[in-house]
Amino acid sequence: MDLSLLSKLEKEAREIDSKLSILYEKDEEIRKLYRGTSLWFSSIVENPDVMFLGINPGSGFFNNNKTLCHFYEPLKIMEYVDNSQSYQLKWEWNYIFGEKGLNRLDVLANSVKTNFCYLATEDKAALKKLFTQIRGKLGIAPYEVFGNWTRQVVQQINPKLLICEGKESLCFLKDWSFKNEYIEDSSFEDISKGHIGNIKILQVSRTYSTLKNTDGIIAEIGKMIY
């Protein structure tokens, strides 16, 4: 794993966060949209069985603390198995990897979690509006910048299985991070499977924080990593 590359990506994230934080103090549009920066929701593990890729961080920290988040360092405990955390998506994955599912919470604990974009917003609509703002006001090409972030991180982590949390996460991955490299193998009942080189890709669908077809997800993960 090239730690110098990851350090370079972190430096870029800090610089973007710093510029947005300055704008946040004086720009009404940015203040409506921006909720901070969070890079990692787990430790950084090389060659894990599973890596999770979401779209972007939510606004939970901002809503609870009324201040922007500025989290750049990896966590000591993967958020989905952290007993201090309690939210729906965490319990969904605990069910899938727990006793009633795969019975492999050890795999979940040693997995990696990040997002296509590390800028926190209230929802996807706010993220797209924020992208428009930073393109115009900071001269940053957001899809290209975050597409490169995701590509480099996935290549460095090199998971056996990359789980895209939602259809849009997969769209970002194949359109901006690995353009023309993603190959779809099958698609059915809110689940699609594919690969990028030796990395298997599983896209799961969700309604807000509730996963669809959990039995199908359990079956597919079981087949793809064991």
Side-chain angles (χ1 to χ4, degrees), residues 61-222:
F61 180 89
F62 179 88
N63 294 339
N64 291 330
N65 298 277
K66 307 306 177 187
T67 187
L68 300 178
C69 59
H70 307 285
F71 301 133
Y72 313 109
E73 301 297 327
L75 303 182
K76 293 182 179 179
I77 302 174
M78 202 286 178
E79 193 166 279
Y80 289 156
V81 297
D82 185 348
N83 290 332
S84 70
Q85 300 291 327
S86 181
Y87 57 94
Q88 183 62 31
L89 189 57
K90 171 192 172 178
W91 299 121
E92 295 279 316
W93 286 119
N94 270 255
Y95 173 82
I96 286 170
F97 283 89
E99 291 182 2
K100 295 183 179 180
L102 295 162
N103 199 26
R104 292 300 306 269
L105 284 175
D106 60 313
V107 170
L108 185 61
N110 288 288
S111 62
V112 175
K113 159 73 177 173
T114 189
N115 293 290
F116 173 80
C117 171
Y118 42 70
L119 306 182
T121 59
E122 194 72 36
D123 51 33
K124 290 186 290 184
L127 179 64
K128 291 181 178 179
K129 290 178 181 178
L130 182 62
F131 277 6
T132 299
Q133 292 290 315
I134 66 176
R135 184 182 293 275
K137 294 174 180 176
L138 296 179
I140 292 172
Y143 291 100
E144 291 82 352
V145 167
F146 300 117
N148 179 64
W149 150 264
T150 302
R151 179 183 180 87
Q152 299 297 331
V153 165
V154 170
Q155 288 179 331
Q156 291 302 308
I157 299 300
N158 189 38
K160 179 185 288 186
L161 172 62
L162 177 63
I163 298 177
C164 292
E165 297 177 310
K167 293 180 180 179
E168 198 156 5
S169 175
L170 176 60
C171 287
F172 284 145
L173 181 78
K174 64 183 184 180
D175 291 344
W176 295 100
S177 301
F178 293 92
K179 194 169 185 178
N180 300 322
E181 295 180 59
Y182 174 78
I183 298 174
E184 182 174 275
D185 297 320
S186 63
S187 179
F188 58 94
E189 293 185 36
D190 301 310
I191 294 174
S192 66
K193 298 191 296 181
H195 64 277
I196 298 170
N198 292 325
I199 300 175
K200 299 173 184 177
I201 311 294
L202 178 67
Q203 175 262 308
V204 300
S205 297
R206 49 190 276 197
T207 302
Y208 298 103
S209 293
T210 301
L211 297 173
K212 298 180 179 180
N213 192 5
T214 53
D215 289 341
I217 293 171
I218 291 168
E220 292 304 326
I221 293 176

